[in-house]
Amino acid sequence: MLNLAFDTTAGSCSVLLTEDGKTLEKYVKKMDFGQAEALFPAIREILQKRQLQPAELDLITVCCGPGSFTGVRSSLAAARTLGLALLKTALTGVSAFEAYVHDLAPEELAFYNAVIIETKREDFYFQCFDDRKNKLGEPEALDYETIVDRLRHKKVTLTGDGVERFLNRPSGLSLHVIRMEDCLSIETLAACGNEKFRLKKTDYPKPLYLRAPDVCLKA
């Protein structure tokens, strides 16, 4: 089963081609801007290396956020365009929250597993899952104090690229495992897409926006 996974929601353009869960080709380039322009050339290069046509793909997996407004739109526009052109190829969206918690090993799971994602502001993107990786609430953008209040008096595992900054202050929380990630792994995103495909739970990608875009009106 050929799965093409990609993500432009954070500070990189990442593309991965796997076959039955094994990596065939990978492209990751750190960038704050220009992901939209880099994405399709990277996809084309990866497919050409394996002498594959897009119609041979079984699944396309895309990260649907949260992240930069432009990055989320770029990923989803690309995925939906490919989905319209490749009618026999399955298409699924995966949130960064789902992917981070999917990567936790059984021994790392607590009853409360909090995914904390960097916003590059004072707050954090936050969602909590139980020990079976079922969500315990909807994703939110929350400040430090609110997150600590939510998790107080609970045994907690923390994961995500916002964990390091979150723990810069003494939280007093009872921590089971701490996973400080630099960014969402494209391999984890692909694995999450593979599982959705296997379980026949593919989900048409919809943008996960947790705040309004930063825009200003000209006077």
Side-chain angles (χ1 to χ4, degrees):
M1 194 270 285
L2 291 170
N3 177 13
L4 180 72
F6 53 86
D7 177 20
T8 64
T9 62
S12 68
C13 177
S14 302
V15 185
L16 182 72
L17 178 67
T18 67
E19 184 173 23
D20 299 329
K22 296 181 180 179
T23 296
L24 297 181
E25 299 291 343
K26 178 179 175 180
Y27 171 94
V28 176
K29 186 174 182 180
K30 297 285 186 181
M31 56 179 72
D32 292 324
F33 306 99
Q35 292 95 328
E37 291 78 8
L39 180 57
F40 269 112
I43 292 172
R44 182 173 61 248
E45 180 182 349
I46 279 177
L47 293 179
Q48 287 177 347
K49 282 183 177 180
R50 290 287 165 166
Q51 298 182 329
L52 291 171
Q53 295 299 316
E56 295 178 75
L57 297 171
D58 299 293
L59 174 66
I60 294 170
T61 302
V62 60
C63 183
C64 53
S68 75
F69 185 78
T70 302
V72 171
R73 291 188 65 182
S74 298
S75 278
L76 266 64
R80 291 178 175 184
T81 298
L82 290 169
L84 288 172
L86 308 172
L87 298 180
K88 293 184 179 180
T89 301
L91 177 63
T92 192
V94 174
S95 77
F97 297 107
E98 293 177 284
Y100 275 122
V101 81
H102 175 85
D103 200 38
L104 291 174
E107 64 273 12
E108 294 179 306
L109 290 166
F111 185 77
Y112 291 91
N113 302 279
V115 180
I116 300 177
I117 296 175
E118 183 60 72
T119 64
K120 297 183 179 179
R121 293 183 175 86
E122 292 185 0
D123 59 359
F124 301 87
Y125 296 133
F126 172 87
Q127 189 173 25
C128 210
F129 298 79
D130 67 17
D131 55 353
R132 294 186 178 183
K133 303 183 181 180
N134 298 312
K135 64 181 182 181
L136 294 171
E138 295 304 312
E140 301 173 88
L142 300 175
D143 60 33
Y144 174 87
E145 290 77 12
T146 302
I147 294 174
V148 170
D149 286 344
R150 294 272 183 95
L151 300 178
R152 188 172 283 123
H153 309 307
K154 299 176 174 68
K155 195 74 171 179
V156 181
T157 285
L158 300 180
T159 186
D161 65 357
V163 171
E164 183 173 5
R165 179 166 70 89
F166 178 78
L167 292 179
N168 281 341
R169 299 163 62 180
S171 66
L173 297 176
S174 177
L175 299 177
H176 175 58
V177 167
I178 300 169
R179 292 273 299 268
M180 294 186 184
E181 308 287 355
D182 291 332
C183 62
L184 177 62
S185 161
I186 189 65
E187 289 86 357
T188 300
L189 183 74
C192 204
N194 283 340
E195 182 170 332
K196 286 193 170 190
F197 184 83
R198 179 178 62 82
L199 297 175
K200 298 182 180 179
K201 292 184 177 180
T202 54
D203 185 19
Y204 187 73
K206 300 173 286 294
L208 179 55
Y209 299 131
L210 297 180
R211 62 166 72 251
D214 290 327
V215 295
C216 60
L217 298 177
K218 293 183 179 180

